[in-house]
Amino acid sequence: MNLFESALDSKEEPLAARMRPRTLGEYIGQEHILGKGRLLRRAIQADQLSSVIFYGPPGTGKTTLARVIANTTRSHFSTLNAVLSGVKELRGEIEAAKERRALYGTRTILFIDEVHRWNKSQQDALLPWVENGTFILIGATTENPYFEVNAALVSRSRVFQLKKLTDENLRDIALQAINDKERGYGEFRVEFEEGALDHLVSVANGDARSLLNALELAVETTPDVFPPPAGSLIYISKETAEESIQKKAVLYDKEGDYHFDVISAFIKSLRGSDPDAALYWLARMVAAGEDPRFIFRRMEILAAEDVGMADPYAVAVVEADASAFDRIGLPEGRFHLAHSAIYLSTCPKSNSALGFFDALSDVEKEKAEEVPNHLKDPNRDSNGFGHGEGYLYPHSYKDHWVAQQYLPTGLQGKIYYKPSDMGYEKDIRDAVMLRREAQLESVTEDFYSENLTFSPGDKARERWVERALSGRSESLLRLMEKLYSGLNIPRYANVMVLNASHGFLLWPLMKMNPEGCSMAVVKSDEQKEIINHFASELDSLLRPQVIVSSPLKAFGSLEDGLSFSVISGRNVLSRLKDDEKILQMIAGRLEKDGCLALLESIPVLSTRLSDVCLEKHRETMKKAEEGIYTRSNPLTAWGKEDLESSIRKVFPEATFEYVQESEDRMLTDTALRHFHSSIYSSAMSVEEFLKAFPQRTVKWSNTVAIIRSGFQEDSVHLASEEWKGVLEKTSK
């Protein structure tokens, strides 16, 4: 059967069938593929068509275009409808095409309507005959061929996408039908009330078939008897037009391409915080009969993925609406769909939950990391293997938090959760970042051990446990608050942090100078890598410049004329007499009203091992320690008076505040063995030395000098309150 073998002038056919274009000249629309000079138009006119697939919504002219080709080509044109035909019918067409080719040298064009309806095996049966040239395939589909048609067929065909017809196209099609005397209503005088034709065009929504069907109904039901005498006036009122096409057809297939396109538009409108667009696409889905539970499922995903921590209650709102809908149903349940859509589209947005997938990527790509010993389950083998030993119960500490290792050692400093500055997350962002920075700093650095040049040999678990038990993060926050209290710098200020370590003193300054230069001098590539990792979420222009160098060499490498509003640092003057020249360098790079802010530990005022060992070893250890606390040791040969004297030579207005911090510190075997080899080896054996510390967790005090110059004291209280607010958030 040939779909195109029909009496074109038969008045028994519907108007839409009668008015199908017969030539390219009669075809209206799709100028992007059929305009003059376009590839498809040239191929049809030259009768050199290769296999093609026409893809587009209903009523856009796919079958009509095949009809034009049938009327133009010298090849034999056969048709199959995938809904009504199968492999049996295909085999018949194959045999006929082979015979025509062998006997007459005639090509065969095979048009398959709704080609996506064929399953994979049926489409596979067609493939070899397309490949060897027995057929030139024309496929028509309303579904995306890249999803619904075999990849092999698609790769051997040109795909042309037909778009929904424009209102102008539809108007031209209507006028063509009205004026065509042979196939349309040209023998009558068809006139429209103002707005009537516009209504038909608008409601047809790009579908020519829908428009022609409505036009046919309007024209043929207006006279008492149709057809009336030739030349009769047929006046189409607006009311008649509205009755002829009462409801716009919603292009939507719950199993097809438009289903995914519309839900995609809906989700993107929610994500883009456009409640108007969200309600429109929601209405499109509801009007087309989409399952409301599917819509709620997608909104619940978005509530976690795109709203996330910016509004943690979004998930609860959508879940409550979904639950209410289950009880109420349609039509009233549409209020709950709209309620969730409006709520989500007006929420602040954050996709920080995507950090989980960064973690998942690390899990999949990296080797499995060992669970830190103190996090292991102690219930089974704590006596044998010591699992769980050293775990700090957060509720036993102030603010129910204490710094300790939770990530595997190999992932120290890794950031997965990056809080946004939106909504609820904005309120917790500073607290999260400060706590994270304090924790990282407290588990990687040590005031006292730096001054004694002590660097633990084991950079893994023992270092973590030793620092974690110190509870130092809280004291670091207090020191930072005191150091920067009253600091008020412009947004364009340049700042520099010496011995920046992992950025603890750098990040607060960077919160104040988003338009200035931030420079950090660190001791190692490891510290540089961690700072860069923390800053990776910033625009490249806003990231700090990190220099691996000593402070003296760093100053020597600076660009001429570069000055700073603030120069800060920690333990920059460990060897005070040798490091005095650093103060001159700082003064030379500070702006006229610049601020100096330093934290310096004073080793001679800190706890010594002889203070925490067994009583019977105390005198022996004190004698051994005399060598490191004499005036000859550059690390310990200075105290408060020496510090103040050296600094006031360069910064006469500097102020000093001394803070004694006390903490719990764990003395690991690695640390003790290092101390023994450096200081106590001549006093006792290593075995005896280790036995001198039966209590490995000890109270340790440390004296830190807070040195400031150039601060505006009249703004201390205001700035202090700001820092106090940030610190209070860390305890919530």
Side-chain angles (χ1 to χ4, degrees), residues 483-587:
L483 181 68
Y484 289 147
S485 176
L487 184 61
N488 187 14
I489 59 176
R491 293 170 56 86
Y492 53 81
N494 295 334
V495 301
M496 182 185 214
V497 179
L498 304 172
N499 284 352
S501 184
H502 299 86
F504 181 67
L505 294 180
L506 173 67
W507 309 120
L509 296 177
M510 289 187 63
K511 291 182 176 75
M512 305 180 197
N513 76 327
E515 298 164 10
C517 167
S518 299
M519 187 170 293
V521 180
V522 299
K523 295 180 179 179
S524 67
D525 289 330
E526 178 192 8
Q527 293 175 345
K528 177 179 179 179
E529 183 178 346
I530 289 179
I531 288 180
N532 286 337
H533 181 60
F534 266 82
S536 61
E537 61 184 286
L538 300 176
D539 184 275
S540 58
L541 292 176
L542 303 180
R543 296 172 189 169
Q545 299 179 33
V546 186
I547 303 173
V548 181
S549 171
S550 67
L552 280 178
K553 290 182 179 179
F555 278 116
S557 66
L558 294 180
E559 177 185 354
D560 290 343
L562 178 61
S563 59
F564 299 89
S565 295
V566 179
I567 296 182
S568 177
R570 177 176 160 199
N571 291 340
V572 177
L573 308 174
S574 297
R575 291 173 168 82
L576 182 62
K577 296 302 179 183
D578 297 336
D579 293 334
E580 284 184 344
K581 63 185 72 173
I582 294 177
L583 295 171
Q584 298 289 345
M585 295 283 191
I586 293 174

Side-chain angles (χ1 to χ4, degrees), residues 100-146:
R100 281 189 293 270
R101 188 179 187 185
L103 296 178
Y104 310 110
T106 302
R107 300 188 309 166
T108 298
I109 295 177
L110 178 63
F111 173 64
I112 303 179
D113 203 9
E114 305 287 340
V115 65
H116 64 277
R117 300 281 188 174
W118 272 0
N119 59 34
K120 184 179 185 301
S121 63
Q122 290 172 313
Q123 293 183 32
D124 284 342
L126 178 63
L127 179 62
W129 310 107
V130 172
E131 197 165 38
N132 67 18
T134 301
F135 289 127
I136 295 172
L137 171 68
I138 299 179
T141 175
T142 57
E143 302 297 328
N144 191 327
Y146 293 100

Side-chain angles (χ1 to χ4, degrees), residues 124-292:
D124 284 342
L126 178 63
L127 179 62
W129 310 107
V130 172
E131 197 165 38
N132 67 18
T134 301
F135 289 127
I136 295 172
L137 171 68
I138 299 179
T141 175
T142 57
E143 302 297 328
N144 191 327
Y146 293 100
F147 296 129
E148 301 298 335
V149 179
N150 283 5
L153 275 179
V154 172
S155 68
R156 289 161 176 78
S157 308
R158 293 185 183 276
V159 178
F160 293 97
Q161 184 174 3
L162 282 71
K163 297 292 188 180
K164 190 169 64 172
L165 295 174
T166 66
D167 287 354
E168 184 180 353
N169 294 151
L170 292 179
R171 186 181 298 277
D172 289 342
I173 290 171
L175 294 176
Q176 185 184 60
I178 291 169
N179 296 322
D180 191 308
K181 294 183 178 181
E182 180 184 355
R183 298 174 296 160
Y185 302 120
E187 57 185 302
F188 313 115
R189 289 189 299 119
V190 179
E191 297 180 4
F192 292 87
E193 182 183 356
E194 184 177 354
L197 181 57
D198 292 338
H199 179 77
L200 292 178
V201 168
S202 174
V203 178
N205 196 29
D207 187 332
R209 187 182 300 109
S210 176
L211 171 71
L212 291 173
N213 289 341
L215 179 63
E216 181 178 29
L217 183 62
V219 170
E220 297 190 8
T221 59
T222 296
D224 294 333
V225 178
F226 189 87
S232 298
L233 172 66
I234 300 177
Y235 183 76
I236 310 298
S237 67
K238 190 171 182 181
E239 181 182 2
T240 300
E242 291 172 350
E243 291 175 351
S244 300
I245 187 168
Q246 294 182 358
K247 184 176 181 182
K248 184 177 294 189
V250 178
L251 181 57
Y252 196 85
D253 177 357
K254 287 187 283 183
E255 301 298 328
D257 214 29
Y258 296 98
H259 158 80
F260 295 105
D261 287 343
V262 174
I263 190 65
S264 174
F266 174 62
I267 293 301
K268 288 173 181 175
S269 300
L270 295 177
R271 183 183 295 131
S273 300
D274 188 334
D276 302 308
L279 290 175
Y280 170 77
W281 294 116
L282 176 63
R284 280 279 294 267
M285 291 187 288
V286 171
E290 180 60 85
D291 183 357

Side-chain angles (χ1 to χ4, degrees), residues 310-328:
D311 185 347
Y313 300 104
V315 173
V317 169
V318 179
E319 178 61 29
D321 278 331
S323 178
F325 181 89
D326 283 340
R327 291 195 303 273
I328 296 169

Side-chain angles (χ1 to χ4, degrees), residues 332-378:
E332 291 85 354
R334 291 179 293 185
F335 286 111
H336 298 86
L337 281 166
H339 179 258
S340 283
I342 293 171
Y343 188 91
L344 292 177
S345 60
T346 56
C347 276
K349 304 296 190 297
S350 169
N351 66 347
S352 58
L354 291 178
F356 164 77
F357 296 97
D358 294 333
L360 187 62
S361 177
D362 281 349
V363 170
E364 293 172 346
K365 294 178 182 178
E366 306 294 335
K367 64 181 182 180
E369 294 279 355
E370 179 74 12
V371 175
N373 188 67
H374 64 290
L375 298 183
K376 291 181 178 178
D377 180 10

